[in-house]
Amino acid sequence: MKAAVVVFPGLNRDRDMIAALTKIGGEAPAIVWHKDAEIPQVDLIVIPGGFSYGDYLRVGAIAARSPAMDTIRERAAAGVKVMGVCNGFQILSEAGLVPGVLMRNASLKFVCREVKLSVENAATDFTRGYAKGQVIRCPVAHHDGNYFADAETLAAVEGNGQVAFRYAEGTNPNGSINDIAGVFNASRNVLGLMPHPENLIESAHGGTDGRNLFASLLAA
């Protein structure tokens, strides 16, 4: 599978994501600067984490209006898989590619620690390497990861199997409604995920629970 990583000014997890995709997929992804609307023909587009544009105005709001995002919307509508992690999730939300919004953490503090995640939908290209209900470890590092959706949107997300992961075992670090840590679009080819699976893919990281997500995607 061919992948591309889109880089915005202020991101700081792009190298981690590139390393994960290269190590697990065996091929380095294409690197695309956000102002470039020309994205190579790939099977997977990833927006990594960090603090695009310093999180000014509203997290992800400026980045969501970059030229590359128009192309990403077109590719997503055509069925290409898209994943946004942490700030990437915020950007996807601001761009309307996944439902809901990401607000300031309930604690009003930056959180950086390990959490537990329950796999809610294991029947997708992103999650098929896990079992439904499986609890995995994953690190988080964010200030605005509090997922929220209005009642109608939340009912649709829950009813359509669009919840990918929930914080489990009382480890919700940000106050997200229904403990939601990651959501799909209605077609389930776009995933927004707040925790960082790319930072737990080998024993040197202290575990490999994030590896199956990449292995599932890159073998699709």
Side-chain angles (χ1 to χ4, degrees):
M1 170 181 281
K2 294 187 179 299
V5 171
V6 182
V7 180
F8 294 82
L11 295 190
N12 59 18
R13 297 300 184 100
D14 46 313
R15 292 187 180 183
D16 297 19
M17 186 61 70
I18 292 165
L21 292 167
T22 303
K23 185 176 184 67
I24 298 172
E27 181 178 352
I31 313 301
V32 178
W33 184 236
H34 72 109
K35 287 188 176 181
D36 189 354
E38 296 296 324
I39 297 177
Q41 293 298 321
V42 294
D43 308 293
L44 169 67
I45 300 171
V46 182
I47 305 175
F51 305 92
S52 59
Y53 293 96
D55 283 348
Y56 288 113
L57 297 184
R58 191 174 59 247
V59 289
I62 300 175
R65 287 149 180 82
S66 289
M69 294 307 300
D70 292 331
T71 304
I72 291 174
R73 288 187 189 90
E74 293 172 2
R75 298 288 179 84
V80 172
K81 284 179 278 294
V82 178
M83 180 170 69
V85 174
C86 198
N87 192 219
F89 185 4
Q90 296 160 348
I91 294 169
L92 291 179
S93 172
E94 286 286 341
L97 283 164
V98 291
V101 298
L102 283 306
M103 305 188 303
R104 186 62 48 89
N105 294 344
S107 66
L108 303 182
K109 296 179 180 179
F110 181 85
V111 295
C112 182
R113 61 175 178 261
E114 185 177 284
V115 299
K116 298 287 186 66
L117 300 177
S118 171
V119 180
E120 296 298 300
N121 185 343
T124 75
D125 284 341
F126 297 88
T127 55
R128 60 185 179 160
Y130 302 106
K132 180 176 172 58
Q134 180 179 351
V135 175
I136 63 173
R137 299 161 50 220
C138 204
V140 297
H142 58 256
H143 198 271
D144 298 77
N146 186 353
Y147 180 80
F148 180 80
D150 61 58
E152 182 179 356
T153 301
L154 186 63
V157 165
E158 294 281 6
N160 294 337
Q162 289 174 243
V163 178
F165 298 93
R166 295 187 206 275
Y167 299 109
E169 300 180 8
T171 62
N172 184 333
N174 49 44
S176 287
I177 193 168
N178 289 13
D179 292 324
I180 292 173
V183 295
F184 298 110
N185 66 341
S187 300
R188 299 182 190 85
N189 67 305
V190 180
L191 170 64
L193 177 64
M194 189 51 57
H196 288 274
E198 75 275 16
N199 292 144
L200 205 67
I201 64 165
E202 54 187 328
S203 57
H205 294 162
T208 60
D209 284 8
R211 190 179 187 94
N212 280 358
L213 186 147
F214 293 97
S216 297
L217 271 175
L218 295 172

